[in-house]
Coordinates of all heavy atoms in Angstrom, one line a residue:
A1 N 122.6 104.1 113.5 CA 123.5 103.5 112.5 C 123.2 104.1 111.2 O 124.1 104.3 110.4 CB 123.2 102.0 112.5
A2 N 121.9 104.3 110.9 CA 121.5 104.9 109.5 C 122.1 106.3 109.4 O 122.6 106.6 108.3 CB 120.0 104.9 109.4
R3 N 122.1 107.1 110.4 CA 122.6 108.4 110.4 C 124.1 108.4 110.1 O 124.6 109.2 109.4 CB 122.3 109.1 111.7 CG 122.5 110.6 111.7 CD 121.9 111.2 112.9 NE 122.2 112.6 112.9 CZ 122.9 113.2 113.8 NH1 123.4 112.5 114.9 NH2 123.2 114.5 113.8
R4 N 124.8 107.5 110.8 CA 126.3 107.4 110.6 C 126.6 107.0 109.1 O 127.5 107.6 108.5 CB 126.9 106.3 111.5 CG 127.1 106.9 112.9 CD 128.0 105.9 113.7 NE 127.4 104.6 113.9 CZ 126.4 104.3 114.9 NH1 126.0 105.3 115.7 NH2 126.0 103.1 115.0
Q5 N 125.8 106.1 108.6 CA 126.0 105.6 107.2 C 125.7 106.8 106.2 O 126.4 107.0 105.3 CB 125.1 104.4 106.9 CG 125.2 103.9 105.5 CD 126.6 103.3 105.2 OE1 127.1 102.5 106.0 NE2 127.2 103.8 104.2
L6 N 124.6 107.5 106.5 CA 124.2 108.6 105.6 C 125.3 109.7 105.6 O 125.7 110.2 104.6 CB 122.9 109.2 106.0 CG 121.7 108.3 105.6 CD1 120.4 108.8 106.4 CD2 121.4 108.3 104.1
T7 N 125.8 110.0 106.8 CA 126.8 111.0 107.0 C 128.1 110.6 106.2 O 128.7 111.4 105.4 CB 127.2 111.2 108.4 OG1 126.0 111.6 109.1 CG2 128.2 112.3 108.6
D8 N 128.4 109.3 106.3 CA 129.6 108.7 105.5 C 129.3 108.8 104.0 O 130.2 109.3 103.3 CB 129.7 107.3 106.0 CG 131.1 106.7 105.6 OD1 132.1 107.4 105.8 OD2 131.1 105.6 105.0
D9 N 128.2 108.4 103.6 CA 127.8 108.5 102.2 C 127.9 109.9 101.6 O 128.3 110.2 100.5 CB 126.5 107.9 101.9 CG 126.5 106.3 102.0 OD1 127.6 105.8 101.8 OD2 125.5 105.7 102.3
L10 N 127.4 110.9 102.4 CA 127.4 112.3 102.0 C 128.8 112.8 101.9 O 129.1 113.6 101.0 CB 126.6 113.1 103.0 CG 125.1 113.0 102.9 CD1 124.4 113.7 104.1 CD2 124.5 113.4 101.6
T11 N 129.7 112.3 102.8 CA 131.1 112.7 102.6 C 131.7 112.2 101.3 O 132.4 113.0 100.6 CB 131.9 112.1 103.8 OG1 131.4 112.6 105.0 CG2 133.4 112.5 103.7
H12 N 131.4 111.0 100.9 CA 131.8 110.5 99.6 C 131.2 111.2 98.5 O 131.8 111.3 97.4 CB 131.6 109.0 99.5 CG 132.5 108.1 100.4 ND1 133.8 108.1 100.3 CD2 132.2 107.4 101.5 CE1 134.3 107.3 101.2 NE2 133.3 106.8 101.9
A13 N 130.0 111.7 98.7 CA 129.3 112.3 97.6 C 129.7 113.8 97.4 O 129.3 114.4 96.4 CB 127.7 112.3 97.9
E14 N 130.6 114.2 98.3 CA 131.0 115.6 98.3 C 132.0 116.0 97.2 O 132.4 117.1 97.1 CB 131.5 116.0 99.6 CG 130.8 117.1 100.3 CD 131.2 117.5 101.7 OE1 131.7 116.6 102.4 OE2 131.1 118.6 102.1
Q15 N 132.5 115.0 96.4 CA 133.4 115.3 95.3 C 132.7 116.1 94.2 O 131.7 115.5 93.6 CB 134.0 114.0 94.7 CG 134.3 112.9 95.7 CD 135.3 113.3 96.8 OE1 136.2 114.0 96.4 NE2 135.0 113.0 98.0
P16 N 133.1 117.3 93.9 CA 132.5 118.0 92.8 C 132.6 117.3 91.5 O 133.7 116.7 91.2 CB 133.2 119.3 92.7 CG 133.9 119.5 94.0 CD 134.2 118.1 94.5
L17 N 131.6 117.3 90.7 CA 131.6 116.6 89.3 C 132.3 117.5 88.3 O 132.8 117.0 87.3 CB 130.2 116.3 88.9 CG 129.4 115.3 89.7 CD1 128.0 115.1 89.2 CD2 130.1 113.9 89.7
A18 N 132.2 118.8 88.5 CA 132.8 119.8 87.6 C 133.0 121.1 88.3 O 132.4 121.3 89.4 CB 131.8 120.0 86.4
P19 N 133.8 122.1 87.7 CA 133.8 123.4 88.3 C 132.4 124.0 88.4 O 131.6 123.8 87.5 CB 134.7 124.2 87.4 CG 135.5 123.2 86.6 CD 134.6 121.9 86.5
G20 N 132.1 124.7 89.5 CA 130.8 125.3 89.7 C 129.8 124.4 90.3 O 128.6 124.7 90.5
D21 N 130.1 123.1 90.6 CA 129.3 122.2 91.3 C 129.2 122.6 92.7 O 130.2 122.5 93.5 CB 129.8 120.7 91.1 CG 128.9 119.7 91.7 OD1 127.8 120.0 92.2 OD2 129.2 118.5 91.6
L22 N 128.0 123.0 93.2 CA 127.8 123.5 94.6 C 127.5 122.4 95.5 O 126.7 122.5 96.5 CB 126.7 124.6 94.6 CG 127.0 125.8 93.7 CD1 125.8 126.8 93.8 CD2 128.3 126.5 94.2
V23 N 128.2 121.3 95.4 CA 127.9 120.1 96.2 C 128.3 120.3 97.6 O 127.6 119.8 98.5 CB 128.5 118.8 95.6 CG1 130.1 118.9 95.6 CG2 128.0 117.5 96.2
G24 N 129.3 121.1 97.9 CA 129.8 121.3 99.3 C 128.7 121.9 100.2 O 128.3 121.3 101.2
P25 N 128.2 123.1 99.8 CA 127.2 123.7 100.6 C 125.9 122.9 100.7 O 125.2 122.8 101.7 CB 126.9 125.0 100.0 CG 127.7 125.1 98.8 CD 128.7 124.0 98.8
Y26 N 125.6 122.2 99.5 CA 124.4 121.3 99.5 C 124.4 120.2 100.5 O 123.5 119.9 101.2 CB 124.2 120.8 98.0 CG 122.9 120.1 97.7 CD1 121.8 120.9 97.3 CD2 122.8 118.8 97.8 CE1 120.6 120.3 97.0 CE2 121.6 118.1 97.5 CZ 120.5 118.9 97.1 OH 119.3 118.3 96.8
V27 N 125.6 119.5 100.5 CA 125.8 118.4 101.4 C 125.8 118.9 102.9 O 125.3 118.2 103.7 CB 127.1 117.6 101.1 CG1 127.5 116.7 102.2 CG2 126.9 116.8 99.8
A28 N 126.4 120.1 103.1 CA 126.3 120.7 104.4 C 124.9 120.8 104.9 O 124.6 120.5 106.1 CB 127.1 122.0 104.5
L29 N 124.0 121.3 104.1 CA 122.6 121.5 104.4 C 122.0 120.1 104.7 O 121.2 120.0 105.6 CB 121.9 122.2 103.2 CG 121.6 123.7 103.3 CD1 120.9 124.1 102.0 CD2 120.9 124.1 104.5
L30 N 122.3 119.2 103.8 CA 121.7 117.8 104.1 C 122.2 117.2 105.4 O 121.4 116.6 106.1 CB 122.1 116.9 102.9 CG 121.3 116.9 101.6 CD1 121.9 116.0 100.6 CD2 119.9 116.4 101.9
R31 N 123.4 117.4 105.7 CA 123.9 116.9 107.0 C 123.2 117.5 108.2 O 122.8 116.8 109.1 CB 125.4 117.3 107.2 CG 126.3 116.3 106.6 CD 127.7 116.3 107.3 NE 128.6 115.6 106.4 CZ 129.4 116.2 105.5 NH1 129.3 117.5 105.3 NH2 130.2 115.4 104.8
L32 N 122.9 118.9 108.1 CA 122.1 119.5 109.1 C 120.8 118.9 109.3 O 120.2 118.9 110.3 CB 122.0 121.0 108.8 CG 123.2 121.9 109.1 CD1 122.9 123.3 108.7 CD2 123.5 121.9 110.6
A33 N 120.2 118.4 108.1 CA 118.9 117.9 108.1 C 118.8 116.5 108.8 O 117.7 116.1 109.2 CB 118.4 117.8 106.7
L34 N 119.9 115.9 109.0 CA 120.0 114.6 109.7 C 120.0 114.8 111.2 O 121.1 114.7 111.8 CB 121.2 113.7 109.2 CG 121.3 113.5 107.7 CD1 122.6 112.7 107.4 CD2 120.1 112.7 107.2
G35 N 118.9 115.1 111.7 CA 118.9 115.5 113.2 C 119.1 114.2 114.1 O 119.2 113.1 113.6
P36 N 119.0 114.5 115.4 CA 119.2 113.4 116.3 C 118.0 112.4 116.3 O 118.2 111.2 116.7 CB 119.3 114.1 117.7 CG 118.7 115.4 117.5 CD 118.9 115.8 116.0
E37 N 116.8 112.8 115.9 CA 115.7 112.0 115.9 C 115.4 111.4 114.5 O 115.7 112.1 113.5 CB 114.4 112.8 116.3 CG 114.5 113.3 117.7 CD 114.6 112.2 118.7 OE1 113.8 111.2 118.6 OE2 115.4 112.3 119.6
P38 N 114.9 110.2 114.3 CA 114.6 109.7 113.0 C 113.6 110.6 112.3 O 112.7 111.1 112.9 CB 114.0 108.3 113.2 CG 113.9 108.1 114.7 CD 114.6 109.3 115.4
P39 N 113.8 110.8 111.0 CA 112.9 111.7 110.3 C 111.5 111.0 110.1 O 111.5 109.8 109.8 CB 113.5 112.0 108.9 CG 114.4 110.8 108.8 CD 114.9 110.4 110.1
P40 N 110.4 111.7 110.2 CA 109.1 111.1 109.8 C 109.1 110.7 108.4 O 110.0 111.3 107.6 CB 108.1 112.2 110.1 CG 108.8 113.4 110.4 CD 110.3 113.1 110.6
P41 N 108.3 109.8 107.9 CA 108.3 109.2 106.6 C 108.3 110.3 105.5 O 109.0 110.2 104.5 CB 107.1 108.4 106.5 CG 106.9 107.9 107.9 CD 107.3 109.0 108.8
A42 N 107.5 111.4 105.6 CA 107.4 112.4 104.6 C 108.8 113.1 104.5 O 109.2 113.5 103.4 CB 106.3 113.4 105.0
R43 N 109.4 113.4 105.6 CA 110.7 114.0 105.6 C 111.8 113.1 105.0 O 112.7 113.6 104.3 CB 111.1 114.5 107.0 CG 112.4 115.3 107.0 CD 112.6 116.0 108.3 NE 113.9 116.7 108.4 CZ 114.0 118.0 108.2 NH1 113.0 118.7 107.7 NH2 115.2 118.5 108.3
A44 N 111.7 111.8 105.3 CA 112.7 110.9 104.8 C 112.5 110.9 103.2 O 113.5 110.8 102.5 CB 112.4 109.5 105.4

């Protein structure tokens, strides 16, 4: 459930704030980081 919520929030966060905002590739990297297993506390 947390992963679904985070993915959803990241989609909403993907709106660029200004030209040159590299939020798209940044969010893509973050999405990849949300693996199938819960992250250990340090990674979270």
Side-chain angles (χ1 to χ4, degrees):
R3 190 168 178 243
R4 279 191 300 277
Q5 181 65 50
L6 286 166
T7 302
D8 193 48
D9 287 333
L10 286 173
T11 300
H12 287 297
E14 239 174 331
Q15 320 302 319
L17 294 175
D21 186 357
L22 299 176
V23 66
Y26 190 86
V27 164
L29 264 180
L30 275 174
R31 272 204 197 94
L32 282 176
L34 302 176
E37 298 300 314
R43 187 170 173 92

